[in-house]
Amino acid sequence: SRTSEMALITVVWQTFSDTFKNDLALSTFEFGWMLGVLPLYYALSVSTFVCLLRLVEKNIPAKQLVAAVFTSTQKTLAFGLPLLQTIFQGNEALGIISAPLLVYHPMQMLAGALMQTKAVKMIANEKNDRGTDN
């Protein structure tokens, strides 16, 4: 809903503001390393999830597979930021603690946008193979 979207945007804005107001405290090397490692972690997470899901449900429909992939990995910011803010409230290192999450979420969105075309084709191909609109 629009209310939950606005709440999430407010949380993200507040965390970004707090992070940069209190000094990020990451060197250029550390920030670059984080930008290099997080995409690998995301790819490994998604791949592992898909493999495990297919082990459990061998003939999972494409629609369900796509929905599972997108919903299994996309909740970190909505859940993670309020949790970090609660646990580390008042800690001057909150910026550095939340930095990976602040980078990870936009990366998830970019990866999701890049995977969208393949997901649509996968669902369309399954429909054509089955000859159904389900």
Side-chain angles (χ1 to χ4, degrees), residues 59-102:
N59 295 321
I60 187 167
K63 274 185 175 180
Q64 289 180 5
L65 179 63
V66 169
V69 166
F70 279 94
T71 58
S72 69
T73 59
Q74 302 293 330
K75 299 298 182 193
T76 56
L77 193 63
F79 180 74
L81 284 179
L83 183 64
L84 288 176
Q85 286 178 329
T86 301
I87 293 171
F88 296 103
Q89 185 176 17
N91 188 331
E92 290 183 13
L94 181 60
I96 197 167
I97 292 166
S98 59
L101 188 57
L102 293 172

Side-chain angles (χ1 to χ4, degrees), residues 5-104:
E5 288 174 5
M6 292 307 294
L8 181 58
I9 288 170
T10 302
V11 168
V12 172
W13 175 258
Q14 183 64 44
T15 303
F16 266 88
S17 299
D18 288 347
T19 298
F20 294 106
K21 180 184 93 178
N22 296 330
D23 187 22
L24 187 56
L26 283 175
S27 70
T28 304
F29 173 78
E30 292 167 328
F31 191 71
W33 186 83
M34 186 176 59
L35 288 177
V37 169
L38 287 176
L40 296 174
Y41 172 76
Y42 181 75
L44 180 64
S45 297
V46 170
S47 299
T48 302
F49 180 76
V50 169
C51 289
L52 290 173
L53 189 60
R54 286 193 168 153
L55 280 174
V56 172
E57 183 69 40
K58 293 189 187 314
N59 295 321
I60 187 167
K63 274 185 175 180
Q64 289 180 5
L65 179 63
V66 169
V69 166
F70 279 94
T71 58
S72 69
T73 59
Q74 302 293 330
K75 299 298 182 193
T76 56
L77 193 63
F79 180 74
L81 284 179
L83 183 64
L84 288 176
Q85 286 178 329
T86 301
I87 293 171
F88 296 103
Q89 185 176 17
N91 188 331
E92 290 183 13
L94 181 60
I96 197 167
I97 292 166
S98 59
L101 188 57
L102 293 172
V103 171
Y104 189 72

Side-chain angles (χ1 to χ4, degrees), residues 61-63 122-134:
K63 274 185 175 180
M122 187 170 79
I123 292 169
N125 288 342
E126 183 180 78
K127 283 182 183 178
N128 291 337
D129 291 345
R130 290 184 180 176
T132 144
D133 289 329
N134 294 331

Side-chain angles (χ1 to χ4, degrees), residues 110-128:
L110 177 62
L114 295 173
M115 289 189 295
Q116 180 183 5
T117 303
K118 182 175 180 172
V120 169
K121 286 180 183 176
M122 187 170 79
I123 292 169
N125 288 342
E126 183 180 78
K127 283 182 183 178
N128 291 337

